[in-house]
Amino acid sequence: MARYLRWAWDIPFLGPGVRIQRISAEFRSQASSFGLWSVLRAFAIRAIQRVIDFKVLRAMCITVVVPGFLELPTGMTADFLDRETLRRMTAEAKYDLTAEFLDDALAKGDECYAIVDGAEPAAYGWYAHSPTRMSDGMLVQFDPAYVYMYKGLTLDAYRGRRLHAIGMTRALAAYRAQGFKGLVSYIESDNLNSLKSAYRIGYVDFGRVFIIRMWGRLVTFRTPGCAAFGFGIAPPSRNGDPGRGEAAPPDHLSGRT
């Protein structure tokens, strides 16, 4: 949805009539899939973002394992990846893993759970136990009774098979078995496709975080529901950055499926 809205505003080469028709058709399609009010809210957020740097993050958690998302496709396996496998992945651009990211993530104890087809990782997600940096340097903070899920990716050849959802559900089961309460994450409020995918596997909202950048300063506000999960967004610590390891942009919870 976010990609569509950017496209809708950035096509000046089309005539007004063509542009309006295309926007109208896409709006009806999105409204049919996600509901009128959801699409209107997404449009409103995108309109505000054309004036100021503004984000609304839906803070979410999942604590219940949905059995329907535990079964792996035939011939595939799933587990946490070892360092050697991850190092090999940094040499291939398709995995979107840099050596710098990997060093930082592993140094702070983050783990990567992946679905593997033969010897090739097909989809993965990263899981953190400590504050984790977003792409803009802000830190995601959360109750250590939960595990923070971030940076999910599914290779192009495997999209449409719900591998990200399966991997996340299996990771949830593994962490629950270790005594954690569940997973927490966030999605930008105008990313309707990712929100739909997250709700389908059992994620529920527990709050919102508003981020505004004005005159070079970042201001954040969280709704009361976030307090129970210790969830918030804060500037990086100046005394030994505890957030080493960079999270994906806010609309990446559901990965590229």
Side-chain angles (χ1 to χ4, degrees), residues 62-64 143-147 172 175-176 179-183 228-229:
I62 182 170
T63 59
V64 178
D143 188 326
Y146 294 86
V147 180
L172 169 63
Y175 284 122
R176 289 279 294 172
F180 291 96
K181 292 182 178 180
L183 307 179
F229 295 83

Side-chain angles (χ1 to χ4, degrees), residues 26 33 45 51 60 78 85 87-88 93 108 123 129 151 155 159 188 197 208 228 231 243-244 248:
E26 187 66 18
S33 298
I45 291 171
V51 180
M60 316 177 81
T85 301
R87 292 289 178 199
R88 289 196 298 270
K108 65 187 285 289
H129 303 279
K151 193 172 177 60
L155 294 184
R159 293 186 189 180
E188 286 196 23
S197 297
R208 302 283 192 280
F231 193 91
R244 295 170 64 195

Side-chain angles (χ1 to χ4, degrees), residues 40-247:
L40 286 174
R41 284 195 296 269
F43 263 78
I45 291 171
R46 186 57 56 185
I48 294 172
Q49 289 174 335
R50 289 183 62 81
V51 180
I52 60 174
D53 190 345
F54 173 71
K55 295 177 181 178
V56 182
L57 312 182
R58 291 199 186 192
M60 316 177 81
C61 73
I62 182 170
T63 59
V64 178
V65 175
V66 178
F69 289 100
L70 285 173
E71 185 175 353
L72 288 166
T74 303
M76 294 189 181
T77 60
D79 206 343
F80 293 99
L81 297 182
D82 57 43
R83 289 172 179 258
E84 291 72 20
T85 301
L86 290 166
R87 292 289 178 199
R88 289 196 298 270
M89 291 167 63
T90 62
E92 300 187 60
K94 65 182 179 181
Y95 288 116
D96 191 28
L97 288 177
T98 65
E100 180 182 10
F101 166 85
L102 184 60
D103 288 343
D104 286 349
L106 294 179
K108 65 187 285 289
D110 294 2
E111 299 173 293
C112 181
Y113 192 92
I115 295 178
V116 180
D117 184 8
E120 178 181 61
Y124 69 72
W126 280 86
Y127 298 86
H129 303 279
S130 60
T132 299
R133 190 166 53 199
M134 297 167 60
S135 57
D136 59 4
M138 301 286 279
L139 289 177
V140 180
Q141 300 175 327
F142 53 94
D143 188 326
Y146 294 86
V147 180
Y148 170 61
M149 188 276 158
Y150 71 104
K151 193 172 177 60
L153 179 142
T154 300
L155 294 184
D156 290 346
Y158 296 93
R159 293 186 189 180
R161 302 172 67 177
R162 297 187 176 180
L163 296 188
H164 185 76
I166 294 171
M168 191 158 24
T169 302
R170 293 177 67 91
L172 169 63
Y175 284 122
R176 289 279 294 172
Q178 295 176 31
F180 291 96
K181 292 182 178 180
L183 307 179
V184 294
S185 196
Y186 65 86
I187 302 177
E188 286 196 23
S189 287
D190 61 333
N191 191 339
L192 302 183
N193 284 310
S194 290
L195 287 170
K196 184 177 180 178
S197 297
Y199 295 144
R200 183 170 55 233
I201 68 170
Y203 270 96
V204 295
D205 293 351
F206 60 79
R208 302 283 192 280
V209 178
F210 301 85
I211 304 175
I212 304 173
R213 186 189 298 271
M214 299 181 67
W215 300 294
R217 297 185 59 186
L218 280 168
V219 179
T220 66
F221 171 78
R222 67 178 187 174
T223 57
C226 294
F229 295 83
F231 193 91
I233 307 295
S237 170
R238 295 181 179 178
N239 300 317
D241 181 3
R244 295 170 64 195
E246 184 174 323

